[in-house]
Amino acid sequence: MISLGIRLALAGGREALARLVVIACAVAAGVGLLLGMLAAINGVHSQDNRYSWLNSAHSTDTPRSGVDPLWWRLSGDAYQGERIGRVDVAATGTNSPVPPGIPRLPAPGEYYASPALARLLADLPADQLADRYPGHLVGTIGSTALPGPDSLVIVVGRTPAEVKAADGSHEITSITTTPSTDCDDCPVGPKGSSVILILSVTAGALVFPVLILVGMATRLSAARREYRFAAMRLVGATPRQVSVIATAEAALAAAAGVAIGFAVFPPIRLALVRMDFTGTPFFLSDLSLNLWDVLLVVLGVPVAAAVAAGIALARVRVSPLGVARRVTPPPPRAWRLLPMLLGVAELAFFIGRRPNTSAGQSMAFTPGMVLILGGLVYAGPWLTMVGARLMVGRSNDPAVLIAGRRLADDPKAGFRSVGGLVLALCVTTGSVAIITAITAERGLPEIYTAGAGAAVDHTVLGSYLTGWGDDGRPTGAEKPLPASVTTQLRAIPGVAGVTVIHADPLGTPDPTEHQGPVGAARQGGLASCEQLAGTPLFHTCAAGAQTATTAADFDGFGVDIGSNWPRQWPTSSVPAAQLDGLPVLDVVVGTTGSAATVERVRTLLEGTYPDRAMAPWTLSEYRTQAQGQLSSFQRLANTVTLASLVVAGCSLAVGVAGGLSERRRPFSLLRLTGVQLGVLRRTVLLESAMPLLVVSGVAIGMGFLAAELFLKAQLGYSVRSPGAMYCVMVVGGLAASLGVITSTLPLLRRITGPEAARND
Amino acid sequence: MTGIVLEARGLELSFGPTPALRGADLAVEAGEILAIMGPSGSGKSTLLHCLAGILTPDAGEIEFAGRRLDTMKEAQRSELRRDRFGFVFQFGQLVPELTAEENVALPLLLGGRKRAAALAEARSWFGRLGLDGLEARRSGELSGGQAQRVALARAMVTRPDVIFADEPTGALDSLTGEQVMDLLVSTAREHGTTVVVVTHEPRVAACADREVTVRDGRVTTAFMERMAS
């Protein structure tokens, strides 16, 4: 029977061939994307493993005996927003553990750098980068120790005394291989589980529209196939034999699709290399497939396609006399809205009741989202029926009457061809609304826009404050900044001003902390009014004042964190002449934002205050890092949206063209009886456009509602206007869909000629 | 096979609220050629479909070669249609994707016969039915008469006990229809096959050994018809 099914699939004429090609292409698209997602998941795992050695000081590995401990200090540095992982090491004997990727531990005065960092060190003037690292380069770090090909990592050799004295140093006896996902306290790594969850959901989101397309394609020329199956049933084929033949046809197409899918995987893999949704691009070799992945796709996809084909044909019971007598199916009821409404209620329930763990949050929000998406598909036929009845109303237009009656009689069939698009619109709307709101909440307030924002963004902050003691005193303050350094800073081309924030000997309360925590008032900082005038963005003093009490913590510059800074700092009674001798909390350097300026300032500050846990940084770098993953997910969401829309558009085209082909005879007879081609065209257009527009409206509304409920529950945010880009996407998507429908209309003239009306 | 091969007793079948058969009784002798006549909508095709195991009656019994057909499962009835029955309908019984010889071989393939053997057996019928040279053609490339002869070959290829023919000449011109009917009758007689043919054409009915009429879902004989009139 299987061979007969394959024979029929291959010899079934143009329509069967078209069906075969469409299914194969749909499956190929799905397989390519699925393989890409599986490779990305493997890539995240591999990258997580590559990061592991950097967490050696935080692992829970049992200390090894008989090993000379290694002094170890991990710190973060930066170059143009790119993180540089710096590890200072000092061996206490010849038997100290050696990190991966280097042949031996660097001696004091030596360092190993990753190839990307080594190139930068060679290319840039020393005062922009190399001066931060004591000693000279003795080799490059091998790829086994690098999270990605462009990673900036350096292992610096120091003396045990130097490392021991630095903030955040540890003694270790082994290099850990535990990935960050399995290590709660590890500071470095993508914490792959959340990324993998998102990738898994993405893979599912991609496969769903593909299966819809497979189902749609399976129903192409359904009447002809049903005719053929009936003929077979007449001469004794059992229902099971017919089912085997139909499944063999679908599985054949799916197998061809799997082969093509594997062929398109290499270019998809190349594209994934640059899509750094973990914040670091992948090594190409990490984006690989294991045997289980290959087996899953090779066996699973044809089975899934065969099941989708089976579901598409399940409604048709083929008897030896043809398809079982068709009766008008009972109209869908309003309770089809129930799953969707349950999804809304489920999301609303968690407003103010957000679970604390990310696993709990995932468990809380996923069912609601699934209910809304699944509920939308389930409610689609009911919405189509209501729309059709409203459309027919008292219309005198025969096209409206024919299209409306047909949709009202079988709204499931009417909705089927637009279901994929509607789903894609709902997902797009929800994701765009969520990402827009998050971006808006974390963006610059209006006060800093229009030019000033850039100046804030490019201000370099050396922040040495580590917190406040129980008595409210700032902790972590550095030694006074030498006057020579201030002069050097000012002499760097592109530096606009330097303001040093000192610890206040009078312990004046921080003027920005009036909404702060209960307990001893946190003390503020102290700054020279002359210096503040050089960086006016961070507010000024009262007229005639020499010194002012400022925020102790310039982290965020009063923009991202605590945007309630006063417009004028309160005057302090500490004389300006006393400031130079006071400990330093922050050094604020305004720059023009040029790479050379920022890096020179950073290098000078790092040289002045070495061995700090955090390197000086700019607000734009902070934003780049904070939003890096968000941007990556935005790119991923865009990819998913685009792929879903394309696949859904294909489903629509296949559905409309298939529907036209199926109704060749009745349309031809209508033409013979004098119905104009224009009327038939309007009928076809209305039959697809009406459900598309009606259910799309509901889908967009549900997308916004789901986003609002999620944002309220998870982040306390509200949906913002999604912007022009979204409107362009939605209007463009709908226009393209209508274009797809319109593009099938010329087919109408060709297939409804008088010859099509003849009896077979 | 001698005696009664197929018997229906008190068949009733409705399609929704519309009754098609209302207590139809019929017995068919082995080797007999029986014509079922009747006006449109009288239930003659429905009776044939019930006798062939295509439709299951709401009430009544059908017996074929001593076995109850009406209580059989679908798979058993499919098997019976494949191995013991043959069909020639007005149109629409050929699979368009298959060649003529593959169409003839189809019941054998469905029964598990090897492809080469099934095709060889199928080809042996082409000469007998005047279809030489048409083996590789598809149904769309055959004339109406040729398609009906291919259907007849397919009906005969399993050497069935009964051939059911529903308006076999309904879509053909009178000359071609006559040729097809002659072939059907002569082939059936040659092989001792029982034929149940539904027709409204007296010319076709004249080829039969016996003629019954279906009226309002019940079977009457020609004699009773004449008495009634």
Side-chain angles (χ1 to χ4, degrees):
Chain A
M1 268 327 95
I2 293 171
S3 61
L4 184 62
I6 293 170
R7 164 95 180 79
L8 288 169
L10 294 174
R14 274 191 303 175
E15 281 179 341
L17 197 65
R19 184 173 61 239
L20 204 69
V21 168
V22 171
I23 295 177
C25 290
V27 171
V31 166
L33 294 167
L34 189 61
L35 289 176
M37 287 303 132
L38 288 171
I41 289 170
N42 292 340
V44 173
H45 279 305
S46 300
Q47 201 172 64
D48 212 358
N49 289 330
R50 289 169 177 279
Y51 270 113
S52 60
W53 69 278
L54 290 164
N55 291 313
S56 291
H58 295 83
S59 79
T60 52
D61 295 354
T62 313
R64 284 170 58 195
S65 56
V67 173
D68 297 320
L70 177 72
W71 277 103
W72 177 280
R73 181 176 174 273
L74 175 72
S75 58
D77 194 357
Y79 174 78
Q80 289 301 292
E82 295 292 326
R83 278 176 290 192
I84 301 174
R86 172 175 172 167
V87 183
D88 290 71
V89 291
T92 60
T94 54
N95 201 15
S96 293
V98 179
I102 53 175
R104 62 174 176 82
L105 287 168
E110 295 178 343
Y111 54 75
Y112 286 95
S114 63
L117 184 56
R119 279 195 297 276
L120 283 177
L121 288 166
D123 294 347
L124 294 168
D127 65 349
Q128 289 184 33
L129 189 62
D131 286 353
R132 301 176 199 177
Y133 311 116
H136 62 278
L137 182 74
V138 289
T140 54
I141 300 171
S143 61
T144 50
L146 301 176
D150 299 337
S151 294
L152 303 178
V153 180
I154 189 164
V155 180
V156 182
R158 309 282 293 274
T159 66
E162 283 172 338
V163 181
K164 190 178 175 183
D167 188 24
S169 59
H170 295 81
E171 258 187 320
I172 63 167
T173 56
S174 64
I175 304 296
T176 188
T177 53
T178 307
S180 68
T181 308
D182 303 330
C183 167
D184 290 339
D185 298 327
C186 289
V188 182
K191 298 279 180 192
S193 53
S194 60
V195 181
I196 286 166
L197 175 71
I198 290 168
L199 287 172
S200 306
V201 171
T202 305
L206 283 172
V207 168
F208 194 57
V210 168
L211 288 180
I212 288 181
L213 178 54
V214 170
M216 291 296 302
T218 305
R219 289 200 59 75
L220 261 182
S221 66
R224 189 178 163 96
R225 300 174 79 209
E226 287 158 8
Y227 172 93
R228 175 221 297 166
F229 289 146
M232 288 182 163
R233 292 276 286 113
L234 183 67
V235 294
T238 59
R240 189 179 150 75
Q241 283 177 316
V242 168
S243 163
V244 169
I245 289 169
T247 305
E249 280 184 274
L252 172 74
V258 169
I260 302 168
F262 272 92
V264 298
F265 172 58
I268 290 176
R269 193 169 167 235
L270 283 175
L272 278 173
V273 162
R274 305 311 306 173
M275 196 177 279
D276 51 342
F277 32 75
T278 57
T280 304
F282 292 108
F283 279 106
L284 188 62
S285 59
D286 286 349
L287 293 168
S288 53
L289 301 167
N290 59 40
L291 181 66
W292 290 112
D293 298 333
V294 174
L295 283 178
L296 174 77
V297 175
V298 167
L299 300 177
V301 171
V303 169
V307 169
I311 291 170
L313 288 175
R315 288 180 343 105
V316 182
R317 227 187 89 244
V318 182
S319 88
L321 297 177
V323 176
R325 281 163 198 275
R326 294 179 195 278
V327 287
T328 303
R333 304 282 176 196
W335 53 260
R336 278 180 171 262
L337 295 172
L338 206 59
M340 199 162 65
L341 297 177
L342 275 176
V344 171
E346 202 261 3
L347 288 182
F349 173 80
F350 285 102
I351 295 176
R353 298 186 183 92
R354 187 187 74 164
N356 291 324
T357 64
S358 56
Q361 289 159 14
S362 178
M363 291 285 285
F365 297 121
T366 307
M369 301 281 188
V370 169
L371 271 173
I372 287 177
L373 287 177
L376 189 62
V377 174
Y378 193 58
W382 184 82
L383 294 166
T384 302
M385 185 190 70
V386 172
R389 287 182 179 170
L390 288 174
M391 184 173 80
V392 171
R394 292 175 182 278
S395 173
N396 292 320
D397 186 344
V400 173
L401 195 66
I402 297 170
R405 287 279 177 250
R406 184 160 188 270
L407 284 173
D409 275 0
D410 193 359
K412 278 187 199 170
F415 175 72
R416 197 179 297 131
S417 60
V418 300
L421 264 176
V422 165
L423 212 55
L425 266 178
C426 186
V427 172
T428 305
T429 304
S431 58
V432 166
I434 290 169
I435 288 169
T436 310
I438 292 174
T439 309
E441 290 286 347
R442 294 179 184 175
L444 278 171
E446 279 178 25
I447 185 174
Y448 286 109
T449 54
V456 179
D457 275 357
H458 299 136
T459 298
V460 182
L461 175 71
S463 176
Y464 309 111
L465 176 85
T466 53
W468 283 267
D470 291 340
D471 56 358
R473 284 178 182 276
T475 56
E478 273 288 358
K479 63 189 181 197
L481 187 72
S484 59
V485 175
T486 314
T487 309
Q488 280 178 276
L489 282 170
R490 290 212 171 100
I492 294 172
V495 167
V498 179
T499 300
V500 182
I501 310 297
H502 303 270
D504 186 351
L506 302 179
T508 313
D510 192 322
T512 66
E513 286 289 329
H514 60 272
Q515 293 175 343
V518 180
R522 287 179 174 182
Q523 295 176 11
L526 192 63
S528 146
C529 287
E530 187 189 345
Q531 288 184 353
L532 277 171
T535 49
L537 282 165
F538 307 117
H539 310 310
T540 52
C541 302
Q546 286 193 327
T547 60
T549 302
T550 65
D553 184 8
F554 261 56
D555 200 354
F557 304 104
V559 175
D560 278 2
I561 304 164
S563 54
N564 52 354
W565 283 16
R567 302 296 301 166
Q568 193 175 68
W569 297 115
T571 303
S572 170
S573 58
V574 177
Q578 203 181 321
L579 294 183
D580 288 347
L582 293 174
V584 172
L585 297 176
D586 308 276
V587 180
V588 183
V589 184
T591 79
T592 54
S594 85
T597 306
V598 170
E599 296 311 327
R600 280 198 178 105
V601 169
R602 191 173 359 233
T603 305
L604 188 54
L605 287 175
E606 280 194 42
T608 308
Y609 299 124
D611 301 329
R612 300 293 307 195
M614 261 184 67
W617 50 271
T618 67
L619 196 58
S620 79
E621 288 172 344
Y622 168 73
R623 283 221 177 86
T624 305
Q625 284 184 12
Q627 292 193 353
Q629 201 168 49
L630 204 60
S631 305
S632 303
F633 286 130
Q634 173 77 72
R635 280 201 295 279
L636 193 64
N638 287 345
T639 309
V640 172
T641 303
L642 194 65
S644 305
L645 281 172
V646 169
V647 173
C650 291
S651 291
L652 181 65
V654 168
V656 176
L660 276 181
S661 176
E662 296 291 297
R663 287 183 295 152
R664 175 185 305 197
R665 266 198 85 220
F667 276 157
S668 304
L669 288 170
L670 282 172
R671 273 192 77 189
L672 281 183
T673 57
V675 175
Q676 293 158 319
L677 200 57
V679 173
L680 294 182
R681 282 188 183 134
R682 279 210 311 285
T683 305
V684 171
L685 193 63
L686 281 169
E687 280 178 5
S688 297
M690 202 287 292
L692 177 69
L693 296 177
V694 168
V695 191
S696 290
V698 177
I700 290 169
M702 289 311 294
F704 277 122
L705 183 58
E708 170 72 16
L709 295 172
F710 170 77
L711 286 167
K712 270 265 186 302
Q714 175 73 5
L715 301 164
Y717 298 165
S718 271
V719 163
R720 305 290 184 94
S721 170
M725 193 60 203
Y726 166 78
C727 298
V728 168
M729 266 171 69
V730 170
V731 174
L734 287 175
S737 307
L738 293 175
V740 166
I741 300 169
T742 312
S743 71
T744 61
L745 295 181
L747 201 62
L748 199 61
R749 177 190 288 276
R750 200 153 58 81
I751 66 171
T752 58
E755 70 283 354
R758 79 191 193 289
N759 282 319
D760 293 319
Chain B
M1 193 179 283
T2 53
I4 292 174
V5 68
L6 190 61
E7 186 170 12
R9 291 184 289 268
L11 295 189
E12 290 179 17
L13 179 62
S14 298
F15 296 111
T18 314
L21 294 177
R22 293 192 279 199
D25 299 302
L26 183 69
V28 186
E29 295 276 344
E32 181 184 22
I33 295 178
L34 173 73
I36 303 175
M37 295 195 69
S40 290
S42 60
K44 56 187 187 298
S45 287
T46 304
L47 175 62
L48 181 115
H49 294 153
C50 286
L51 292 172
I54 294 170
L55 296 177
T56 310
D58 297 335
E61 295 174 359
I62 305 165
E63 212 167 88
F64 167 71
R67 294 166 67 193
R68 283 283 293 277
L69 199 61
D70 54 291
T71 54
M72 279 183 186
K73 290 188 172 155
E74 178 54 40
Q76 291 173 300
R77 284 189 279 130
S78 295
E79 205 174 298
L80 208 62
R81 283 200 300 275
R82 190 179 66 216
D83 300 334
R84 310 287 296 272
F85 296 164
F87 295 90
V88 184
F89 283 4
Q90 186 174 347
F91 46 64
Q93 69 265 42
L94 296 184
V95 179
E97 289 87 353
L98 298 181
T99 62
E101 64 181 2
E102 285 170 336
N103 262 294
V104 176
L106 188 59
L108 302 173
L109 291 170
L110 289 169
R113 189 85 66 93
K114 293 280 182 205
R115 186 180 160 92
L119 286 174
E121 176 70 23
R123 279 187 209 111
S124 72
W125 283 91
F126 276 67
R128 284 184 243 183
L129 298 175
L131 291 166
D132 276 331
L134 302 178
E135 292 87 344
R137 295 213 187 156
R138 297 199 182 187
S139 62
E141 299 164 338
L142 298 172
S143 69
Q146 288 168 337
Q148 283 305 75
R149 277 183 281 157
V150 171
L152 179 58
R154 193 178 65 179
M156 290 301 297
V157 76
T158 55
R159 308 204 184 250
D161 296 317
V162 185
I163 286 182
F164 294 96
D166 190 356
E167 303 281 10
T169 61
L172 306 175
D173 61 74
S174 58
L175 182 63
T176 313
E178 209 167 296
Q179 286 170 349
V180 167
M181 216 38 226
D182 284 347
L183 269 175
L184 172 61
V185 169
S186 61
T187 314
R189 291 207 194 284
E190 187 186 336
H191 293 89
T193 310
T194 307
V195 177
V196 180
V197 58
V198 164
T199 182
H200 61 271
E201 292 181 57
R203 238 174 349 99
V204 172
C207 301
D209 301 327
R210 185 161 66 101
E211 177 187 324
V212 294
T213 303
V214 178
R215 194 177 291 280
D216 297 331
R218 291 191 187 87
V219 180
T220 58
T221 62
F223 171 74
M224 289 165 72
E225 285 279 310
R226 278 196 296 277
M227 291 294 287
S229 63

